[in-house]
Amino acid sequence: LFTENVLAHPCIVFRRQCQVNYHARCYHLTPFSAVSVMYAITKAQGGKALWKGMGSTFIVHGITLGAEGIISEFTPLPRELPHSWSWKQLAGHLLLKGLVLLLHIRMVLFQNFFCGSDWSQPSSSA
């Protein structure tokens, strides 16, 4: 879990930076040509630039693990599939993942509606 979230996060940020940069003059097809781009990102944006968004990543993973744990404790839905699984276990596992996905979607919509809307701002038309 540590390797997936902390050590691999700079690679994810780097991938996103390369996808967003549509003014790039060339493609980086080898790992060695990408080193200069990573250096330029850290030079322009600082050393913490490669760890942007790590807090929100931890929040999302924490919500996922918590929701899966709570739902699997109160329902017979399996959190993990055994080595020799049946179709019923697979269907239950996929249902659990779907419920957690629906929970994420509701949370994102709730956040965007209340945090991104003008309802929280005072009216300027007096």
Side-chain angles (χ1 to χ4, degrees):
L1 193 60
F2 176 78
T3 304
E4 178 185 344
N5 291 317
V6 177
L7 298 179
H9 193 76
C11 298
I12 294 167
V13 171
F14 172 68
R15 183 188 72 205
R16 288 180 184 153
Q17 288 279 340
C18 289
Q19 288 173 344
V20 169
N21 186 9
Y22 59 89
H23 292 295
R25 291 175 287 196
C26 63
Y27 294 110
H28 299 284
L29 302 175
T30 64
F32 302 111
S33 66
V35 173
S36 63
V37 176
M38 287 185 106
Y39 175 74
I41 290 171
T42 55
K43 185 177 178 184
Q45 299 178 15
K48 296 179 185 177
L50 295 177
W51 280 273
K52 285 182 186 176
M54 187 177 291
S56 61
T57 301
F58 281 137
I59 291 171
V60 168
H61 284 297
I63 291 171
T64 301
L65 291 174
E68 281 183 2
I70 291 171
I71 293 172
S72 66
E73 286 292 322
F74 293 110
T75 62
L77 301 175
R79 194 170 179 186
E80 295 179 4
L81 288 175
H83 184 65
S84 58
W85 49 269
S86 67
W87 288 105
K88 185 178 178 181
Q89 290 172 328
L90 177 64
H93 180 71
L94 292 176
L95 180 62
L96 174 67
K97 296 294 185 178
L99 289 173
V100 171
L101 180 65
L102 285 175
L103 179 69
H104 274 292
I105 291 171
R106 284 190 76 171
M107 290 179 65
V108 167
L109 290 176
F110 180 79
Q111 176 190 6
N112 288 342
F113 180 73
F114 286 108
C115 295
S117 68
D118 291 336
W119 291 28
S120 60
Q121 302 296 327
S123 177
S124 61
S125 60

